[in-house]
Amino acid sequence: SQELEQSPQSLIVQEGKNLTINCTSSKTLYGLYWYKQKYGEGLIFLMMLQKGGEEKSHEKITAKLDEKKQQSSLHITASQPSHAGIYLCGAPLGAGGTSYGKLTFGQGTILTVHP
Amino acid sequence: DAGVTQSPTHLIKTRGQQVTLRCSPKSGHDTVSWYQQALGQGPQFIFQYYEEEERQRGNFPDRFSGHQFPNYSSELNVNALLLGDSALYLCASSLGGVGTDTQYFGPGTRLTVL
C-alpha cells in the first residue's frame, strides 16, 4: 500500500465547478507539499504546509493540513481549463520529518476540466 | 533567475547500455535530489547530493550512481540498463542546510530503454 494515498485518482469537471483532492498519509505528517504536473513535464511547486491546521491559498487554489487526521486537502474554486493537469502531494516521511529532502509522493490525481 | 535545467530532454538507449543525465540547480541552491517517475506513478526518490556527497538514498540498486560538482550541478548515471528503467527522471534543487526546504523541479529527462 502507498504511504501517501491520493483520492480521487482522476477527476473530470465542468469549467466553473469547485473540486477537492485529498492526500492521506499512513505516517505522521511533519509537512506537506503540493505540486502540479503537466503530462511528461516537471513538477511545478504550488504550496507547502508545515503546521497542523495551516491553510494557504494561491489564486483559486486552497490547501489545508490536518495533522490529527494525517491528511491534506487541495480545493480549487471555479475551475478553469488552465487548472487541468496532475496534482501530486509529497511529504518528508522520515522519522521526525528529518528525511533531508527525501520526499515521498502520492500516485497523483489527474484533473480534466471541460470548457 | 534561471530555474532547474536538465539535459538531455529525451534519450533512447538499448538494454545493457549506460546513460548519464545532467542537472543544473536553481541559482542559489546547493542541494540536488533525483527522482524516477514511471508512467502513471508519483516520483520515487533515488538519492540526494549535498556538499558533493550522497546524503540520502532511496531503494534503488547500485546501478544508479551520481555525482555532484563544486558548482552544485549533478549527474545521474545508470549502468546496465533494463527495460524497467524507462521513465521520466526528475532533478530537484533546494537549499541544503534545511531538511524541509522546498524542492524545485526541472523539466525532466525522458529515458526510453529498448
Side-chain angles (χ1 to χ4, degrees), chain B residues 90-113:
Chain B
L90 295 162
C91 163
S93 76
S94 56
L95 203 51
V98 180
T100 56
D101 187 57
T102 298
Q103 295 185 25
Y104 293 88
F105 284 78
T109 293
R110 170 70 63 185
L111 172 65
T112 302
V113 182

Side-chain angles (χ1 to χ4, degrees), chain A residues 71-103:
Chain A
Q71 188 176 71
S72 177
S73 60
L74 184 86
H75 184 78
I76 298 177
T77 303
S79 58
Q80 301 169 356
S82 61
H83 288 125
I86 303 168
Y87 288 82
L88 290 151
C89 62
L93 296 183
T98 56
S99 58
Y100 291 106
K102 175 185 175 182
L103 292 181

Side-chain angles (χ1 to χ4, degrees), chain B residues 2-75:
Chain B
V4 180
T5 60
Q6 292 187 242
S7 64
T9 305
H10 295 87
L11 207 48
I12 300 175
K13 293 286 188 179
T14 56
R15 280 179 297 176
Q17 284 190 312
Q18 178 263 343
V19 69
T20 298
L21 311 181
R22 296 177 176 82
C23 172
S24 290
K26 185 178 166 67
S27 178
H29 284 179
D30 57 7
T31 301
V32 172
S33 303
W34 287 92
Y35 292 81
Q36 180 195 66
Q37 186 178 25
L39 203 59
Q41 302 294 320
Q44 298 285 321
F45 177 80
I46 302 174
F47 43 52
Q48 182 184 77
Y49 277 84
Y50 173 64
E51 293 187 342
E52 300 181 50
E53 290 194 0
E54 184 182 292
R55 177 156 71 173
Q56 193 163 5
R57 189 178 183 93
N59 295 324
F60 279 81
D62 292 343
R63 298 186 297 108
F64 289 77
S65 63
H67 188 78
Q68 185 178 35
F69 300 93
N71 67 353
Y72 307 123
S73 67
S74 177
E75 288 182 349

